[in-house]
Amino acid sequence: MNRSRCWTVAGLIVATTVFWACATIIHGSSQEVSFSSQPTGAKVTVDGQPAGNTPVVAHLRRKDTHTVSITMDGYQPFEIATTRSVSGWVWGNIVFGGLIGLAVDAITGGLYNVKPDQVQAQLSKTASRAALEDGSVYVFLVREPDPNWQLIGQLTPAH
């Protein structure tokens, strides 16, 4: 192998290492996001995929927004959508990595932070429900109706 070809190969190896290092200088392409709930043990799904039961930490891709659902039988579901914001480290990357480092971080997602980075769900008990058993309908009553419910009947005292 001639000398100029060796320098070319060595240059490509160094350049590739430096370019990929720019993305890791900031944060990498994923971020740890913690999920907790009251009560604990609720099922967490991120973008429709199971992530475990609370409390749990999931690694979310920085460049994407995510839909998170926290559910538990007998409780109303909790849902939240994450957002992303540009990290303050972007200025350091422009200084040390230049536009190439900035482009690599934008492509890999290292440029962003996932918000929120901690999700705490306060699960509310399901207020009412109905069940069908052996052809009979059982309705469970509540003291305070949800304003979104449609009124289909009302009991009145007998005179």
Side-chain angles (χ1 to χ4, degrees):
M1 186 180 280
N2 66 27
R3 193 173 200 137
S4 65
R5 188 175 180 119
C6 285
W7 282 107
T8 302
V9 170
L12 285 173
I13 291 171
V14 169
T16 302
T17 304
V18 168
F19 293 153
W20 283 112
C22 291
T24 58
I25 287 173
I26 295 213
H27 321 270
S29 61
S30 68
Q31 177 179 330
E32 287 186 350
V33 177
S34 64
F35 301 97
S36 62
S37 68
Q38 185 60 6
T40 60
K43 179 181 170 185
V44 178
T45 58
V46 178
D47 301 327
Q49 300 298 315
N53 294 339
T54 59
V56 66
V57 174
H59 295 272
L60 305 184
R61 291 175 48 114
R62 291 180 178 274
K63 70 179 184 174
D64 299 327
T65 57
H66 304 279
T67 302
V68 177
S69 178
I70 301 176
T71 58
M72 179 179 259
D73 287 341
Y75 292 85
Q76 294 179 358
F78 176 90
E79 292 186 4
I80 189 170
T82 66
T83 59
R84 63 181 190 177
S85 62
V86 176
S87 169
W89 285 100
V90 70
W91 301 111
N93 193 47
I94 290 172
V95 170
F96 296 111
L99 292 178
I100 294 173
L102 182 64
V104 168
D105 284 347
I107 291 167
T108 63
L111 181 68
Y112 303 105
N113 285 326
V114 175
K115 296 290 182 185
D117 60 352
Q118 295 180 352
V119 175
Q120 298 174 345
Q122 181 67 39
L123 301 178
S124 300
K125 283 203 173 257
T126 303
S128 70
R129 44 174 227 205
L132 179 63
E133 262 182 50
D134 298 324
S136 298
V137 175
Y138 296 92
V139 178
F140 301 91
L141 302 176
V142 296
R143 291 180 187 230
E144 298 292 326
D146 185 325
N148 295 320
W149 291 346
Q150 178 184 1
L151 179 63
I152 59 170
Q154 186 169 350
L155 299 175
T156 56
H159 295 278

